[in-house]
Amino acid sequence: MNIQIRKFYYGDIPEDTAQVGSNHSTTNENAWPLWEVFIRSKQGLDHKHAGSLHAADAAMAIENARDVYTRRQEGVSIWVIESKHVHASNPDDAEMFYEPASDKIYRHPTFYDLPDELKHM
Amino acid sequence: MMNENKLVSSTLQLADSALILGQRNAAWCAHGPILEQDIAITNITLDLIGQARNFYQYAAKLMNEADNKNETEDTLAYFRNERDFKNYLICELPNGDWAQTILRQFFLSTFQSLLFEKMMQSSDTQLAAIATKSIKEIQYHLKWSSEWVIRLGDGTEESRNRILAAVDYLWMYTGEFFIPAAYEIFNAADLQQDWLHHVAIVFEEATIPFPAENQFMQTGGKTGMHTEHLGFIIAEMQSLQRAYPGAEW
């Protein structure tokens, strides 16, 4: 049994799953490309991934992001990038990527005795 | 007294135009061509209704002070009749397709951006304050709608045909902005050249041929002489308050 779980963000239902189980062509040539949206909040120093949306071009993507993700004053700066330009690590590589780090707790700076005068560490 | 009536009428004219266009645009909610644009047009709707509220609240205050009345923003929106509404005719026209809705928004936002800039300098501090608050919203509406006009005009054959049809349909309703009504305290006639200039820039970018000069222009909205469409909008918009006066959420 092959169970596939995929995570979708608000507004992001990829065309390739729109007609699961049918024989129809699942590619919609007229669909606008997908964009990933990053928002920096007023207090934040970094842009955080907010979700994704569809837009015909970068200008429209920024405006859509403004309308969809900053309506409630969530941010003061927007980055967008077309989703196809994002390269992701392969889940199949998880073991060799991440597990070797799990038994190397000495990489955390937790074995030092800090002087009391030192704050905010 | 005469001046005060002018001020009230002018304020109501601004309120009615924002409200009726807001009501029209609101019909796109859940019907937009794509989710993101559905949210965009709905945001614009909420901006317009916010503007209308500010103007109605001010008009109600002026009316109550002058005549010891008991008007509120709600009585002005929900208990006035078709002939009392002073909105530009273009606001009440049917939404048509996306191109028609976009182009109407572009025409009005272009005009509003010029008018509100002028209103910001008004000696009436309340109107100046409302204009100052609204102009940022309007600048975004203008940017958003301008880009859509360009996208449709310079897009596919289908989108181009639709925006050209929208120009044909809407153009004769754009002259009304600049023909002053007797009560209007802001003379918009001198904004016409700027308006035409800005529209021409966007049309050129969109490769839309500029309409010929001196065409027939519809008028009447500002003085309560409306198209057949306004009655239906008002019937729908007011039905709840007419049936249950004073009903609240």
Side-chain angles (χ1 to χ4, degrees), chain A residues 104-119:
Chain A
K104 298 181 178 60
I105 52 171
Y106 49 83
R107 287 180 180 162
H108 293 281
T110 50
F111 298 96
Y112 302 94
D113 288 327
L114 293 176
D116 290 341
E117 295 77 32
L118 204 54
K119 304 267 196 279

Side-chain angles (χ1 to χ4, degrees), chain A residues 10-11 32 53-54 57 59-60 63-64 66-68 71, chain B residues 34-37 39-40 43 47 140 143-144 147-148 151:
Chain A
Y10 179 52
W32 290 339
L53 47 72
H54 291 95
D57 52 45
M60 194 205 272
E63 285 170 25
N64 286 352
R66 179 261 190 197
D67 284 326
V68 176
R71 291 187 298 157
Chain B
I34 189 166
L35 181 137
E36 290 82 353
Q37 296 303 328
I39 295 178
N43 274 348
D47 288 345
Y140 184 75
K143 176 178 162 65
W144 179 84
E147 287 173 9
W148 262 110
R151 206 173 275 133

Side-chain angles (χ1 to χ4, degrees), chain B residues 76-95:
Chain B
L76 293 174
Y78 294 126
F79 294 98
R80 281 155 67 238
N81 291 323
E82 189 185 347
R83 291 291 292 271
D84 301 324
F85 273 74
K86 298 174 171 53
N87 58 280
Y88 310 112
L89 295 176
I90 198 170
C91 300
E92 72 202 45
L93 297 177
N95 285 340

